[in-house]
């Protein structure tokens, strides 16, 4: 009997030791939502004009894409335009519409929103000038678009809510009246679709869910939801993930374990946008690799 007790005790001890040394599961298990590549943009692309950092991206009229590229630290921003050829959503769906446009007031160009009838005066892009880390700004740049989607005149607007890094507009939100969403640190602000951006903002939530210290990037919104992207940074483990958080328009959680692989800190998510039911993420790739636009499996 004593021998059996000793054996049982030894077995219990070995199990306890095994449990103690077993790797601890991560607090947040990522659900990989990164799909096929739709656009590959090497540093030699004419649409980058020597800039190597992909910043904000948004889908505009007819599914055209608009992407901001800069040099290091957000220097010398340009706005590029990509035309969709009408084919299936494959790697050749978009072609560069000539040399990009230099717009110094884009600043860091962290995020872009598209409004098909801004202030009742036709289509425009609205670009955040700052990011929420080292490049703070409470200004946005209004980029008017011509009838064919080409880039027209620009103007600056100062927002009363302070520095923002994420901005989106949905024409189908608020029962079709349209609505803006802006992220400022962990806060969500909204604005009616009509009226000047210099007033009318409302703080919706001041403590948006966030797993860790990933860097705030661009946001996207639709009739019912807001997607908030947060990228890897220098403090992220090499095996870490980019995150996307899905909220409703009240800032409530819908899904928060959405992952896009960081590939050993090479692939850095910058923005998210959609055309109809198709979602895309903009990926700035480090180490001289080609930047990328990939399907985001919503």
């Amino acid at each position: 009997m004593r021998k059996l007790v000793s054996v049982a005790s030894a077995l219990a001890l070995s199990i306890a030791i095994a449990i103690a040394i077993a790797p601890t599961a991560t607090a947040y298990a990522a659900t990989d939502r990164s799909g096929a590549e739709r656009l590959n943009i090497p540093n030699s692309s004419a649409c980058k004009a020597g800039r190597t950092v992909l910043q904000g991206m948004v889908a505009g009229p007819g599914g055209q894409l608009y992407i901001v590229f800069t040099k290091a630290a957000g220097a010398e921003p340009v706005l590029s335009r990509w035309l969709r050829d009408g084919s299936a959503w494959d790697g050749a769906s978009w072609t560069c519409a000539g040399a990009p446009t230099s717009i110094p007031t884009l600043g860091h160009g962290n995020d872009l929103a598209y409004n098909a009838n801004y202030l009742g005066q036709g289509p425009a892009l609205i670009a955040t000038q700052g990011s929420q880390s080292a490049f703070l700004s409470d200004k946005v740049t209004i980029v008017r678009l011509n009838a064919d989607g080409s880039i027209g005149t620009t103007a600056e607007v100062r927002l009363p809510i302070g520095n923002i890094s994420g901005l989106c507009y949905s024409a189908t939100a608020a029962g079709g009246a349209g609505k803006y969403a802006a992220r400022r640190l962990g806060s969500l602000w909204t604005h009616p679709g009509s009226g000047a951006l210099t007033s009318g903002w409302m703080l919706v939530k001041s403590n948006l869910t966030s797993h860790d210290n990933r860097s705030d990037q661009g946001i996207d919104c639709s009739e019912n939801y807001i997607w908030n992207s947060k990228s890897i940074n220098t403090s992220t483990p090499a095996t870490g993930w980019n995150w996307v958080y899905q909220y409703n328009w009240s800032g409530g959680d819908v899904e928060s374990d959405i992952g896009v692989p960081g590939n050993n800190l090479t692939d850095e998510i910058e923005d998210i946008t959609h055309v109809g039911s198709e979602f895309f993420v903009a990926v700035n790739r480090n180490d001289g690799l080609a930047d990328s636009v990939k399907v985001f499996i919503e």
Side-chain angles (χ1 to χ4, degrees):
M1 178 65 73
R2 181 176 298 170
K3 184 175 181 180
L4 289 174
V5 171
S6 298
V7 170
S9 299
L11 179 60
L13 178 61
S14 65
I15 292 172
I17 292 173
I19 292 173
I21 63 176
T24 303
T26 57
Y28 305 105
T31 300
D32 188 352
R33 299 293 182 82
S34 179
E37 185 174 68
R38 288 293 183 258
L39 186 58
N40 183 278
I41 315 172
N43 287 339
S44 60
S45 169
C47 250
K48 297 180 81 168
R51 280 66 168 175
T52 59
V53 184
L54 185 154
Q55 304 284 3
M57 175 184 77
V58 74
Q64 297 179 54
L65 284 182
Y66 297 84
I67 306 175
V68 174
F69 293 101
T70 72
K71 294 184 178 179
E76 300 181 35
V78 295
L79 179 60
S80 64
R81 174 174 166 246
W82 302 79
L83 303 177
R84 184 175 175 229
D85 63 9
S87 67
W89 290 115
D90 56 23
S93 289
W94 292 290
T95 56
C96 177
T101 303
S102 173
I103 306 177
T105 57
L106 286 177
H108 191 272
N110 194 73
D111 200 1
L112 295 169
Y114 169 66
N115 188 328
N117 194 22
Y118 177 69
L119 295 181
Q121 299 171 7
L125 305 178
I126 306 166
T128 61
Q129 291 193 13
S131 71
Q132 199 58 60
S133 54
F135 308 97
L136 303 179
S137 178
D138 60 357
K139 292 181 180 179
V140 295
T141 298
I142 311 300
V143 182
R144 296 286 183 178
L145 299 179
N146 299 317
D148 62 353
S150 59
I151 297 165
T153 61
T154 64
E156 292 181 282
V157 172
R158 187 181 299 272
L159 302 186
I161 58 178
N163 307 318
I164 68 167
S165 54
L167 179 69
C168 63
Y169 174 77
S170 171
T172 56
K179 202 170 186 179
Y180 293 93
R183 185 200 54 236
R184 183 177 186 268
L185 290 175
S187 299
L188 175 66
W189 294 74
T190 62
H191 184 282
S194 60
L197 296 175
T198 51
S199 64
W201 290 92
M202 180 177 69
L203 176 61
V204 173
K205 192 169 185 179
S206 58
N207 58 339
L208 292 172
T209 297
S210 180
H211 291 163
D212 46 36
N213 68 342
R214 300 297 193 270
S215 298
D216 282 333
Q217 298 292 359
I219 67 176
D220 186 36
C221 48
S222 66
E223 179 179 358
N224 298 311
Y225 303 114
I226 298 168
W227 288 264
N228 178 19
S229 64
K230 296 174 79 73
S231 74
I232 57 172
N233 56 33
T234 54
S235 65
T236 305
T239 55
W241 294 75
N242 299 283
W243 289 108
V244 177
Y245 304 83
Q246 185 181 7
Y247 310 113
N248 58 34
W249 278 89
S250 297
D253 293 339
V254 177
E255 188 174 4
S256 55
D257 292 329
I258 305 172
V260 176
N263 295 332
N264 295 317
L265 305 186
T266 297
D267 292 358
E268 178 185 0
I269 192 171
E270 293 286 345
D271 212 343
I272 181 169
T273 192
H274 71 280
V275 180
S277 61
E278 293 276 357
F279 279 76
F280 308 98
V281 290
V283 179
N284 177 58
R285 307 195 73 211
N286 300 299
D287 297 332
L289 298 176
D291 295 328
S292 183
V293 175
K294 293 184 176 182
V295 170
F296 174 76
I297 303 171
E298 193 270 319

